[in-house]
Amino acid sequence: ARLAELQSRIRPHFLFNTLNSAIALVRAEPAKAERVLEDLSDLFRHALADQEDSSTIGQEIDLARGYLEIEQVRFGGRLRVEWSLDERVNEARLPPLILQPLVENAVKHGVERGAQLRVSTQLRGPVALIKVTNTVPAGQGQRGHGIALANVRSRLRLLHDLHGSFRTALVDGVYQARIEVPMPEKATRA
């Protein structure tokens, strides 16, 4: 019940911006407008579906890509994204829609001000590591309310208890959100 309650709080703030971007593209670039609306539809289909208790890193990366493609329309060249993905971690379990708010925060607090965003996954023994980082332009390091971060932390704890971790840090102008979750047993035996 607690997990369902926390998931119900997920409301992507970019909905109206996305719809306005699509409207602006309808006449000038209809194919691009269609892609934006398809990405938005995929994201909301996943958010509104009757979710199981978990998703996979692979599914969460796909949703994050769709979200960032939507934002690419808004920000153009200001949105610079680097992906460094280790496919060996794709089957590790995460709460549904856990990466999207981290990526959304990176866009809001970094990219909107001309920063670089990086999403990476890595296998470290029996642990899957996921990092979302963004540079923070000098003098721009405003703290948010921490609601999305608290939600991520709570949802991760409900799924993985003591076997998962979530940490954030701002070091030398780079903000990092870091999730560690156990790999499925079958993956660690292979």
Side-chain angles (χ1 to χ4, degrees):
R2 177 84 173 125
L3 181 60
E5 186 246 328
L6 287 168
Q7 281 182 220
S8 72
R9 292 184 191 172
I10 300 171
R11 302 285 182 254
H13 302 126
F14 67 100
L15 174 61
F16 292 111
N17 289 332
T18 301
L19 292 175
N20 286 331
S21 295
I23 289 167
L25 292 170
V26 166
R27 287 197 179 120
E29 298 180 65
K32 192 181 253 188
E34 185 175 349
R35 279 194 313 274
V36 166
L37 293 173
E38 286 170 351
D39 288 338
L40 182 64
S41 175
D42 288 343
L43 189 62
F44 276 97
R45 184 177 304 111
H46 190 77
L48 299 174
D50 188 17
Q51 299 284 338
E52 295 180 20
D53 290 342
S54 66
S55 182
T56 66
I57 288 177
Q59 291 168 321
E60 294 299 303
I61 291 293
D62 288 344
L63 288 170
R65 281 187 193 275
Y67 167 77
L68 288 169
E69 286 173 14
I70 290 169
E71 293 293 48
Q72 188 72 57
V73 171
R74 264 181 73 203
F75 293 110
R78 290 187 302 162
L79 177 56
R80 298 175 315 211
V81 182
E82 179 184 332
W83 298 89
S84 178
L85 304 174
D86 184 340
E87 292 185 7
R88 296 175 296 170
V89 303
N90 282 355
E91 295 307 311
R93 305 308 288 181
L94 291 172
L97 283 173
I98 203 161
L99 286 184
Q100 190 277 332
L102 299 178
V103 173
E104 185 175 341
N105 273 353
V107 170
K108 180 179 179 185
H109 296 291
V111 176
E112 283 185 359
R113 297 174 177 94
Q116 169 102 20
L117 170 64
R118 185 170 196 266
V119 179
S120 65
T121 60
Q122 183 179 20
L123 180 63
R124 288 206 174 153
V127 174
L129 171 65
I130 306 106
K131 290 193 281 187
V132 177
T133 62
N134 62 278
T135 54
V136 179
Q140 300 289 330
Q142 299 176 6
R143 290 185 63 91
H145 299 289
I147 295 169
L149 300 180
N151 186 305
V152 166
R153 187 171 284 107
S154 295
R155 292 175 59 227
L156 190 62
R157 191 175 307 122
L158 285 170
L159 182 64
H160 287 295
D161 196 24
L162 300 175
H163 301 288
S165 72
F166 175 65
R167 294 185 299 252
T168 60
L170 177 61
V171 178
D172 295 329
V174 176
Y175 185 84
Q176 179 183 106
R178 175 187 178 114
I179 297 174
E180 293 182 18
V181 294
M183 288 294 298
E185 282 192 35
K186 66 178 180 181
T188 59
R189 282 186 259 149

